Amino acid sequence: MLAMAASDVVVIIPAHNESATVADVVRAVRAEGFPVVVVDDGSTDATGELAEQAGATVLRLVVNLGVGGALRCGFRYAVENGYRIAVQCDADGQHDPANIRALLDAMSTEHADLAVGNRFAGDDAMEISRSRRFAMRVLARAAKRATGQPIEDATSGFRAIASPLLGEFAREYPTQYLGDTFEALVASARAGYRVVSVPTTIHARQGGVRSATTPASLAFLARALLVVKLRIGIRFRSATEVEGCRSEG
Amino acid sequence: MGYSQPLLLGSLGLLFALSIVVLARLQLLTLRYTLGWFLVALTIGASEALTGLAEPLADALDIRPIKLLLGLSLTILLLIAVQLSITASGLIQTLRTLTEAHALTDERIRRLEQATGGDASASSTANDKPVPS
């Protein structure tokens, strides 16, 4: 992990038809002093325009790529523009921008490459259905087994990523549902990057809809577990390998 | 058996081959896939003759020639399906990469237009620090 300055950090918000909430989220993040990039993932409403008016840089995907695709585009923007840390945050108002500093602080003090916001550790822990809690427990256990690191909330989309892992995310990133959270986390840890869990506040969704139905979520859960178990998912290069490639180039 | 079975299979093969020609002429199939599907059409059309050719091998393997041909046909179709899956996966990756590259380039153009006072649609309140590489 590297020493950070505020100008090294950019907040990436993937958004698909989030016109009801995106402007407020952008303003809240900017109030924390961070630049914001909204990746408009093929929205058919005014998400991009509203985000821009609220002060965000907007990357417009002409085709809907899903959260993982939108995030990779954001990571590429971060790398191309010299940012060394990217924070990913949802556009629906669930993540509290005031917690961004907690992610960055944890990253700095614990020398982490990836800080994952834990939605179940705070006083106002998120209320979720029994089936969803079960799925999250299964994933958390699988993540712990695969990485050897205690990750309580393996599907949290509130994260901070530092270079050189950020460069790996920009190069290749899982795009399927749960791929962008669970699989990316496991792949990061397997490549030797340090992952830490940080208690964060979670709010009720201010707008938008869940991206997957329950049967679809179960199918994605089975798929994600299979990918991790069989090691057929994306493989990130370790920090040493990245450094080696850089010096060769 | 007579001629009805070879005639039926030959006609099916010919019809399939003609369909492939039409699709290729409409530019809906590339040469690569045209040739692949032509091979399948040929196999269908000549399956009666191929049964005769397959007899020695089927005898050696102690299975019926028709089963051997069926197995081979399914293998060809499976290989084509796998090849198509590989192509589709590659195309999805290409589409993703192009879409991302388009979004990044579009943002740079809008930023440049804004900086040069061109016809920028971007708001002047946008982030203060994107540093182009």
Side-chain angles (χ1 to χ4, degrees):
Chain A
M1 236 298 290
L2 33 84
M4 67 182 84
S7 59
D8 287 336
V9 183
V10 64
V11 177
I12 299 166
I13 303 176
H16 175 67
N17 290 343
E18 298 281 8
S19 58
T21 53
V22 72
D24 287 343
V25 174
V26 168
R27 275 190 283 269
V29 173
R30 280 178 60 83
E32 294 294 322
F34 300 106
V36 187
V37 176
V38 170
V39 188
D40 181 2
D41 192 12
S43 296
T44 51
D45 63 6
T47 296
E49 289 76 12
L50 291 169
E52 204 157 54
Q53 283 164 18
T57 295
V58 177
L59 303 176
R60 292 187 168 87
L61 296 173
V62 289
V63 177
N64 179 264
L65 296 183
V67 182
L71 280 171
R72 188 173 78 162
C73 187
F75 296 141
R76 285 191 173 177
Y77 173 89
V79 170
E80 284 183 12
N81 289 284
Y83 293 104
R84 297 197 295 166
I85 295 168
V87 176
Q88 70 178 73
C89 179
D90 282 0
D92 58 11
Q94 282 197 68
H95 300 147
D96 188 345
N99 289 148
I100 291 175
R101 295 209 181 263
L103 288 177
L104 298 175
D105 287 348
M107 194 168 233
S108 184
T109 54
E110 299 192 42
H111 306 286
D113 301 285
L114 175 62
V116 182
N118 179 1
R119 297 165 289 179
F120 307 110
D123 298 333
D124 48 354
M126 190 171 72
E127 292 280 325
I128 54 169
S129 66
R130 218 178 273 177
S131 58
R132 201 164 167 216
R133 184 171 286 274
F134 169 74
M136 285 177 163
R137 258 190 212 148
V138 169
L139 288 169
R141 208 168 293 168
K144 189 179 177 184
R145 240 194 333 260
T147 65
Q149 301 177 33
I151 304 296
E152 293 89 353
D153 189 2
T155 59
S156 169
F158 192 31
R159 304 168 167 214
I161 309 107
S163 293
L165 181 59
L166 178 59
E168 288 302 285
F169 279 16
R171 192 175 63 88
E172 205 172 1
Y173 198 68
T175 51
Q176 290 85 3
Y177 185 71
L178 291 181
D180 58 299
T181 50
F182 173 68
E183 282 176 51
L185 187 151
V186 171
S188 303
R190 279 180 173 164
Y193 295 101
R194 180 161 165 69
V195 182
V196 294
S197 192
V198 183
T200 53
T201 317
I202 190 88
H203 299 303
R205 191 192 293 270
Q206 307 296 307
V209 289
R210 275 185 66 193
S211 51
T213 59
T214 304
S217 298
L218 284 173
F220 282 120
L221 171 69
R223 186 203 148 277
L225 290 171
L226 197 69
V227 164
V228 165
K229 191 77 188 160
L230 298 179
R231 294 178 180 252
I232 53 176
I234 279 171
R235 183 190 161 273
F236 299 129
R237 294 175 302 181
S238 68
T240 321
E241 284 174 299
V242 173
E243 196 52 48
C245 289
R246 225 177 259 162
S247 53
E248 275 172 28
Chain B
M1 180 178 70
Y3 293 106
S4 58
Q5 193 170 309
L7 262 176
L8 179 68
L9 289 170
S11 306
L12 270 176
L14 187 66
L15 194 67
F16 187 45
L18 285 173
S19 312
I20 297 301
V21 172
V22 171
L23 290 173
R25 284 194 167 184
L26 290 171
Q27 311 273 306
L28 294 172
L29 280 179
T30 61
L31 181 66
R32 184 185 188 183
Y33 293 111
T34 303
L35 293 176
W37 287 118
F38 244 99
L39 184 68
V40 175
L42 195 71
T43 311
I44 295 170
S47 51
E48 192 63 31
L50 288 174
T51 311
L53 287 174
E55 264 170 13
L57 181 61
D59 285 344
L61 295 171
D62 198 23
I63 54 173
R64 289 169 62 189
I66 194 70
K67 285 189 177 173
L68 179 66
L69 276 180
L70 185 68
L72 287 173
S73 308
L74 284 175
T75 306
I76 290 174
L77 288 175
L78 191 73
L79 287 174
I80 290 177
V82 171
Q83 162 64 27
L84 287 174
S85 302
I86 293 169
T87 306
S89 303
L91 286 173
I92 289 169
Q93 277 305 323
T94 307
L95 175 70
R96 285 186 180 284
T97 306
L98 281 175
T99 306
E100 290 167 15
H102 170 269
L104 291 166
T105 309
D106 173 65
E107 189 276 330
R108 289 182 77 145
I109 290 171
R110 279 185 290 129
R111 205 192 314 160
L112 276 170
E113 283 179 341
Q114 198 178 8
T116 57
D119 182 24
S121 56
S123 161
S124 57
T125 58
N127 290 326
D128 24 23
K129 186 236 163 179
V131 182
S133 53

